[in-house]
Amino acid sequence: MAETVLKASGVDINVLVVVDTEYIKQAYPNPSKDQNTPTGIAHDHQFMLCTGSRGIISGQGTGDLEFRANVGDNVAFTGVSIYNNSDDAVIVYDVKHFSGDQVFNQFNADMVVRNGAVQPNADSPSRNGLPPIRKQTNFSVFDSKVRSSGREGFGIAFGLYKLADNGQDQELYGYFWWDPYITVA
């Protein structure tokens, strides 16, 4: 049996939130348009995938993810629609204390710019997207450093933007939130 080794220094923990936007639009036809008072939603049509944590307690791939972290770890959330943000788009904009201990510092929006990010090449000779094209691409995260131990229920808020009738622009549909947990040793 392999022995688990836990790192003492801070690690990067990434959580990808994938939202089934068609379901959200159908289930919540009149959402809040005020980012300060998002509409609360059930936990069954958003899916969180976590990598780099100190362990998954429960809920990997669900809306009820609970994971472990240590003080000093960096936790970053990013969101995407089931359409990879091409039709409907999702932007995670707030993670805040909801219940229990307060283990996170304030979350902030950060941007990473990759000058040679790859994208499938629609004009590739084999028509399979390879070799890819490279172009400058911006990637956003909403991140914080874990400040203290405990168990925190936190609210994750996101804006949902739907594809406009012109087929080009994305416009605000509404703001939403729900509340998973983190446990810090």
Side-chain angles (χ1 to χ4, degrees), residues 69-129:
N70 283 356
V71 173
D73 288 348
N74 295 303
V75 178
F77 288 86
T78 190
V80 66
S81 72
I82 200 70
Y83 300 110
N84 195 27
N85 283 353
S86 66
D87 286 354
D88 295 337
V90 168
I91 298 174
V92 173
Y93 71 89
D94 198 10
V95 177
K96 65 180 165 186
H97 178 77
F98 179 72
S99 66
D101 303 305
Q102 189 157 0
V103 302
F104 287 120
N105 284 306
Q106 180 175 335
F107 276 80
N108 296 295
D110 285 316
M111 187 72 59
V112 173
V113 179
R114 302 280 186 217
N115 289 324
V118 295
Q119 296 180 356
N121 181 355
D123 297 323
S124 68
S126 62
R127 306 300 296 165
N128 68 357

Side-chain angles (χ1 to χ4, degrees), residues 36-165:
N36 297 311
T37 58
T39 300
I41 60 174
H43 296 209
D44 56 357
H45 283 83
Q46 57 279 16
F47 311 93
M48 293 184 289
L49 300 170
C50 180
T51 186
S53 75
R54 305 296 181 144
I56 301 297
I57 296 171
S58 64
Q60 178 79 291
T62 74
D64 285 317
L65 173 67
E66 184 173 357
F67 62 95
R68 286 187 177 93
N70 283 356
V71 173
D73 288 348
N74 295 303
V75 178
F77 288 86
T78 190
V80 66
S81 72
I82 200 70
Y83 300 110
N84 195 27
N85 283 353
S86 66
D87 286 354
D88 295 337
V90 168
I91 298 174
V92 173
Y93 71 89
D94 198 10
V95 177
K96 65 180 165 186
H97 178 77
F98 179 72
S99 66
D101 303 305
Q102 189 157 0
V103 302
F104 287 120
N105 284 306
Q106 180 175 335
F107 276 80
N108 296 295
D110 285 316
M111 187 72 59
V112 173
V113 179
R114 302 280 186 217
N115 289 324
V118 295
Q119 296 180 356
N121 181 355
D123 297 323
S124 68
S126 62
R127 306 300 296 165
N128 68 357
L130 299 175
I133 59 173
R134 296 179 184 278
K135 62 188 297 187
Q136 186 179 67
T137 306
N138 297 338
F139 298 94
S140 64
V141 296
F142 204 66
D143 60 3
S144 175
K145 186 176 289 275
V146 176
R147 74 179 194 176
S148 65
S149 62
R151 183 172 187 263
E152 178 175 356
F154 54 97
I156 299 178
F158 65 91
L160 192 161
Y161 297 80
K162 67 178 185 169
L163 189 62
D165 291 339

